[in-house]
């Protein structure tokens, strides 16, 4: 077996509406409702399914908790523009810009927190 890519991940969150607002308004993701009123956020060729803490869908993680995620999102936008947008929206950058290593090479990243305290890395791949 050879895995090609992520399709989706699940975030357990304290407040689905607050999470949707952050990922929609700050990161430009599109909220969707599917199968029995479940909520997800779509972007590119992937999505984030949202589970309400204490009311998770089965099957679920062994110990689902809000605020325990740490993941990286890639943008094509210049990182300086990302930092300016975050500042205009009042979203503090916790770390960065800093150089890191992504799945396919060097990246430049900033780190922010979502409403649950999840660490969200926003990165651009450097050309050349």
């Amino acid at each position: 077996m050879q895995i090609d890519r992520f399709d989706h991940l699940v975030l357990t969150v304290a407040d689905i509406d607050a999470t949707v607002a952050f990922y929609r308004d700050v990161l430009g993701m599109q909220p969707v409702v599917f199968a029995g009123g479940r909520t997800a956020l779509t972007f590119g060729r992937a999505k984030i399914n949202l589970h309400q803490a204490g009311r998770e869908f089965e099957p679920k993680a062994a110990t689902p908790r809000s605020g325990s995620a740490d993941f990286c999102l890639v943008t094509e936008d210049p990182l300086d523009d990302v930092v300016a947008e975050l500042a205009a929206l009042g979203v503090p950058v916790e770390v960065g810009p800093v150089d890191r290593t992504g799945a396919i090479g060097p990246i430049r990243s900033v780190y922010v927190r979502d409403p649950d305290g999840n660490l969200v890395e926003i990165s651009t791949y450097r050309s050349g």
Side-chain angles (χ1 to χ4, degrees):
M1 176 185 326
Q2 184 171 346
I3 303 299
D4 176 54
R5 61 179 155 53
F6 277 103
D7 181 79
H8 69 276
L9 62 90
V10 175
L11 284 182
T12 300
V13 302
D15 182 330
I16 287 182
D17 291 338
T19 300
V20 166
F22 176 84
Y23 285 88
R24 179 194 60 222
D25 300 344
V26 175
L27 301 178
M29 294 183 186
Q30 297 301 309
V32 295
V33 177
F34 68 102
R38 295 175 64 178
T39 302
L41 299 154
T42 62
F43 60 100
R45 294 175 44 195
K47 70 176 180 162
I48 299 172
N49 290 340
L50 302 178
H51 285 192
Q52 179 73 46
R55 290 186 261 155
E56 297 86 2
F57 294 96
E58 295 292 340
K60 63 181 184 263
T63 51
R65 292 187 341 205
S66 63
S68 63
D70 175 348
F71 56 91
C72 180
L73 302 169
V74 175
T75 182
E76 297 293 323
D77 297 334
L79 203 57
D80 288 342
D81 292 354
V82 170
V83 170
E85 278 187 53
L86 292 169
L89 292 167
V91 177
V93 171
E94 190 161 306
V95 175
V98 292
D99 293 327
R100 297 289 191 243
T101 302
I104 59 172
I107 56 177
R108 188 118 174 110
S109 303
V110 294
Y111 293 81
V112 299
R113 299 264 177 197
D114 76 4
D116 287 289
N118 293 306
L119 186 63
V120 181
E121 181 179 357
I122 305 167
S123 301
T124 59
Y125 274 90
R126 294 182 281 164
S127 57

